[in-house]
Structure formats: structure tokens, C-alpha cells
């Protein structure tokens, strides 16, 4: 069979022949892949930088997708961290990590949307006791997942959504996605102004981390109208830095809870439990998703593309 094959962590995958996968247990099945998303998480898998990377090569990237089982069932599937990913004509799926879809489901839409929707959906639904009417700050709201988080927070009942990011053009689109307020970050020097705007938020979904988080966390903690009001700070991404110095004063001056959301902190069982409701909302058109479909043969050409905000979906 053919697949997108990574042979070096510093090079994009190439379309080439790869050994056909083989089931290893009664719970596994070979599926014909219909569509799989080229998510930032997939790029991190392919360059070895994701925290789950084992450094094994060669590998086929792709962490989720939609495929057809031998019995004709249409499945959305999530793959474990192995060298046999979804960017191939076929892959191995554990039925316990898959969900049967209706026959009329758009596989491209599901492959494009589930991953970006899931990052904030799981954070709000599984990592905290999110309450309708609460205020949510999306830190890194001009990224792909951040823009989706604005929509998810509003859809799940946020009373006020604040989107903060660096890209002015993308920031201008957030009001149409559900943001009540937007704030342009200039590299960290104006975090004090953002702290004033967001001083009484209930939840921060943080795709940035790094020095910006350190400064903003201290600023918000010191400006809260009611320091005893709970503040949940959920780390989801680390675009601005893999480490952040946590100011001790912030932990003492406010009722601050810092937690992460991702593989490990949320079990596969919990993630799959959220899938039916989440996919139903996606297929109903609850979220604005811009999709670009690319054949598997062209995977290398689009791998590092950043000229469009569209979510790339690879189709074998």
C-alpha cells in the first residue's frame, strides 16, 4: 500500500510504498482510510517534538480520521502513538478507540474538525466543572485551535468570551465567531492591559504558555475584584514557550488552579465518551470550519504550508 512516510524528523513525509498493517488482537481491524486531518499535533508527531514521541523511524503520521471497516461501517477513529498512523491507504484501528458514524456523515468535515474542537471541548468538559455564564479567556485565540476555542466556549454556554492573540487580521474575525472582546498581544509588553481586561475571568484556556503566561498570571491574580473567586488556568498548548515561571504571589493572592489538558491528563475513555455529542454538533454545523482537501500523493507539498487558515484534510 501507499502512505505518507517520515524517514527523518527534519524532513516532511514522502508519498511511497509502506508495508500493509496487520491487526494484533481481536479488537483491532484494518480500515480503508477516507480522510485524516493534518493538525499541528500531527506535525509535532512527525518532527519528533511532541511529548509522546518515542523517536522511532520510519513512521506514518496521522492521529485520527474517518475510515471504512470491512463490514462497511463508517468509523471515526483515534490512534495510539505508534509508527502506523492514519496518513495511508489503510491503517489499524482498535474498535474500542473508534465511533460508528451515520452513513450520511461527511467524513472530510469530521476529519477536519474533531481535533481542533476537541482541545477546548475536552478542557471545558473534562478538566473543570465549567458552568454556563462563566467568562473565558482564550490565550492564543488567533491560532487554528484558539479560534475554534472561541466558538466552543460560546457554544458550551460561556457568558463572555475574550480572545487574545498577536495576528491583527485574524483577531478581527473573532467577533464573528463569538468573542465579546478581543485583545492584540504585542509580544508580552502589554500583558498588564490584558490583565486589567481579564481580571475577573473564570477560566483561561492557554495555547501560548511561556513568558506571556507568567506575566499575565501575575497580573490577573493581582487585579481580581474578588481574590477568592476561583480561577482555572488550563494549559493546552505551548506556542510561546515550553516552560513558564509561575509567580508564587499569584498562587497566594488568588484562588488559582493550574492544570493541563491533553493525552494523559484525560483518559482515552473520557475522550471517547465526549465524541458522540461533539461529532453530532460538528455535523449539525455548530462550528465554522474552513477545509482544504489534499490527496495523499501531495502530502509533502502541503506539509509546511501556512498560507491559508484552512484545516488541511488528506484523502488517500
Amino acid at each position: 500500500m501507499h502512505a505518507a512516510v517520515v524517514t527523518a524528523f527534519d524532513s516532511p513525509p514522502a508519498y511511497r510504498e509502506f508495508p500493509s498493517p496487520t491487526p494484533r488482537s481481536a479488537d483491532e481491524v484494518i480500515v480503508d482510510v477516507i480522510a485524516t486531518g493534518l493538525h499541528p499535533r500531527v506535525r509535532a508527531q512527525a518532527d519528533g517534538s511532541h511529548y509522546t514521541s518515542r523517536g522511532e523511524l520510519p513512521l506514518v503520521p496521522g492521529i485520527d480520521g474517518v475510515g471504512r471497516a470491512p463490514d462497511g461501517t463508517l468509523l471515526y477513529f483515534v490512534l495510539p502513538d505508534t509508527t502506523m498512523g492514519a496518513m495511508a491507504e489503510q491503517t489499524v484501528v482498535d474498535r474500542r478507540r473508534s465511533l460508528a458514524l451515520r452513513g450520511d456523515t461527511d467524513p472530510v468535515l469530521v476529519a477536519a474538525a474533531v481535533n481542533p474542537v476537541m482541545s477546548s471541548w475536552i478542557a471545558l468538559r473534562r478538566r473543570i466543572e465549567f458552568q454556563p455564564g462563566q467568562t473565558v479567556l482564550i490565550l492564543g485565540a488567533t491560532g487554528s485551535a484558539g479560534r475554534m476555542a472561541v466558538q466552543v466556549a460560546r457554544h458550551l454556554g460561556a457568558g463572555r468570551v475574550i480572545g487574545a492573540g498577536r495576528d491583527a487580521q485574524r483577531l478581527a474575525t473573532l467577533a464573528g465567531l463569538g468573542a465579546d472582546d478581543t485583545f492584540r498581544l504585542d509580544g508580552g509588553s502589554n500583558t498588564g492591559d490584558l490583565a486589567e481586561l481579564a481580571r475577573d475571568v473564570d477560566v483561561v484556556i492557554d495555547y501560548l504558555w511561556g513568558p506571556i503566561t507568567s506575566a499575565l498570571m501575575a497580573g490577573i491574580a493581582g487585579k481580581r475584584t474578588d481574590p477568592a473567586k476561583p480561577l482555572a488556568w488550563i494549559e493546552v498548548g505551548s506556542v510561546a514557550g515550553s516552560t513558564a515561571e509561575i509567580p508564587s504571589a499569584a498562587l497566594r493572592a488568588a484562588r488559582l488552579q493550574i492544570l493541563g489538558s491533553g493525552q494523559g491528563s484525560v483518559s482515552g475513555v473520557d475522550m471517547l465518551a465526549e465524541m458522540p455529542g461533539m461529532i453530532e454538533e460538528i455535523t449539525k454545523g455548530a462550528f465554522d470550519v474552513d477545509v482544504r482537501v489534499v490527496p495523499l500523493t501531495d502530502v509533502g507539498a502541503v506539509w509546511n504550508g501556512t498560507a491559508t487558515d484552512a484545516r488541511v484534510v488528506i484523502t488517500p
Side-chain angles (χ1 to χ4, degrees):
M1 74 166 188
H2 286 86
V5 184
V6 176
T7 56
F9 287 128
D10 58 356
S11 300
Y15 178 76
R16 61 179 60 180
E17 290 189 357
F18 196 79
S20 297
T22 303
R24 294 167 296 179
S25 74
D27 294 312
E28 292 185 336
V29 62
I30 301 294
V31 301
D32 294 323
V33 179
I34 298 173
T36 179
L38 176 50
H39 317 301
R41 165 68 176 83
V42 175
R43 290 190 174 96
Q45 173 194 28
D47 67 21
S49 64
H50 195 264
Y51 64 87
T52 62
S53 177
R54 300 175 182 175
E56 298 179 51
L57 291 174
L59 68 82
V60 174
I63 60 170
D64 72 338
V66 177
R68 184 80 62 183
D71 63 2
T73 304
L74 193 65
L75 298 176
Y76 169 76
F77 57 84
V78 179
L79 299 178
D81 293 293
T82 70
T83 55
M84 187 62 246
M87 292 189 176
E89 293 172 334
Q90 293 183 320
T91 194
V92 177
V93 170
D94 188 328
R95 284 192 174 272
R96 295 168 299 180
R97 297 170 62 94
S98 68
L99 178 71
L101 304 174
R102 296 196 310 267
D104 60 350
T105 300
D106 182 348
V108 169
L109 176 61
V110 171
V114 169
N115 181 267
V117 170
M118 182 166 54
S119 74
S120 50
W121 182 289
I122 292 293
L124 293 175
R125 295 264 304 169
R126 289 285 170 169
R127 294 300 283 140
I128 61 173
E129 295 293 332
F130 181 65
Q131 300 296 324
Q134 289 185 321
T135 299
V136 179
L137 167 64
I138 312 297
L139 193 55
T142 53
S144 176
R147 294 196 304 277
M148 187 62 71
V150 170
Q151 299 184 65
V152 170
R154 177 62 73 196
H155 184 76
L156 294 180
R160 181 187 179 201
V161 179
I162 304 171
R166 298 183 65 174
D167 189 304
Q169 184 174 358
R170 292 175 179 174
L171 204 64
T173 67
L174 296 185
L177 298 178
D180 299 284
D181 301 285
T182 59
F183 186 92
R184 186 182 181 190
L185 291 165
D186 62 4
S189 63
N190 62 345
T191 53
D193 295 331
L194 178 55
E196 181 64 35
L197 174 66
R199 64 181 183 176
D200 290 326
V201 298
D202 300 286
V203 181
V204 178
I205 299 179
D206 188 350
Y207 290 97
L208 299 181
W209 207 241
I212 290 177
T213 290
S214 299
L216 185 59
M217 192 178 289
I220 290 178
K223 294 177 181 292
R224 291 177 78 73
T225 302
D226 178 7
K229 180 182 179 181
L231 169 59
W233 200 292
I234 312 175
E235 194 277 335
V236 183
S238 53
V239 175
S242 60
T243 61
E245 295 184 1
I246 305 302
S248 61
L251 296 174
R252 299 194 302 269
R255 191 176 170 185
L256 173 63
Q257 178 188 26
I258 305 171
L259 61 165
S261 183
Q263 287 176 258
S265 60
V266 182
S267 72
V269 172
D270 283 347
M271 286 187 178
L272 284 171
E274 292 293 333
M275 291 296 175
M278 187 172 63
I279 290 177
E280 181 179 359
E281 295 305 305
I282 289 171
T283 57
K284 285 166 53 177
F287 308 109
D288 181 27
V289 185
D290 189 10
V291 183
R292 178 187 177 191
V293 179
V294 175
L296 181 63
T297 52
D298 295 341
V299 64
V302 300
W303 190 260
N304 293 319
T306 58
T308 177
D309 291 336
R311 179 68 62 159
V312 173
V313 173
I314 303 296
T315 56

